Amino acid sequence: FSRLRCSTCHAEFLLAFSCQTRNFCPSCQNKRAALVAEKIAEIVAPVRHRHMTLTIPRAIRRLFERDRELLSLLSRTAYDAIRGTFAALLDRDDVVPGVAASIQTFGSYGANFHPHWHALVTDGAFAPDGTFLPLADLNTDLLEEAFRRLLLERLQRAERLSEEFRDQLLSWVHSGFSVHAAQVVDGADAAEVER
């Protein structure tokens, strides 16, 4: 890449040679994604998994755009919602699901900024002795509601949402939150896990 600097405003940009863009280089991104996928395929437990995508409503996306540190709160909350839901479904407090996750912020600044959470999640959880406890059925509505309530509560506690706006968002029938977990992945199939 080259570093370009405006002689007037002194703003600096990186220009990738392979793609000629002034953003992250897609070929570099693809290489990095392939390496991460390969590593995950090596270490994932050979049990059934689900590819999950958790999204948030447009009404709060700008909070994450303005304060990128909130993306870590989003990630922690998504994991905590999954862990709590799995514990409730398995009727055990001592279980831990396996999760490999990443946050994507599809779109550039402005109207199409869309932070969401992708994860490869075990279709069950591990007991402290290492025993895998599969879920009989995953209720994504239950998970979505746990994620919604937990995230809004944490944003309100962090003083990013007023109590009134939080309550208004909780009253929406169509919340704008969603959990998609239909894609099942065989953890023993490395190629499928990598894909």
Side-chain angles (χ1 to χ4, degrees), residues 77 81 141-157 161 166-167 169-172 175 177:
T77 303
D141 292 338
L142 183 66
L143 176 55
E144 180 182 312
E145 187 61 20
F147 176 55
R148 174 174 84 139
R149 291 189 175 278
L150 194 55
L151 183 62
L152 293 177
E153 177 61 33
R154 288 178 174 178
L155 287 171
Q156 195 267 321
R157 251 187 294 152
L161 289 180
R166 180 202 63 193
D167 292 344
L169 291 171
L170 286 171
S171 72
W172 290 2
S175 70
F177 285 85

Side-chain angles (χ1 to χ4, degrees), residues 1-4 13-23:
F1 65 88
S2 292
R3 183 179 300 239
L4 305 177
F13 301 96
L14 296 180
L15 178 65
F17 290 144
S18 60
C19 60
Q20 301 296 303
T21 64
R22 294 182 185 194
N23 205 333

Side-chain angles (χ1 to χ4, degrees), residues 77-111:
T77 303
Y79 174 76
D80 290 344
I82 289 170
R83 185 174 182 178
T85 302
F86 283 22
L89 291 172
L90 293 169
D91 198 25
R92 290 184 61 157
D93 291 333
D94 61 345
V95 295
V96 178
V99 177
S102 70
I103 292 183
Q104 291 186 332
T105 56
F106 178 80
S108 58
Y109 293 99

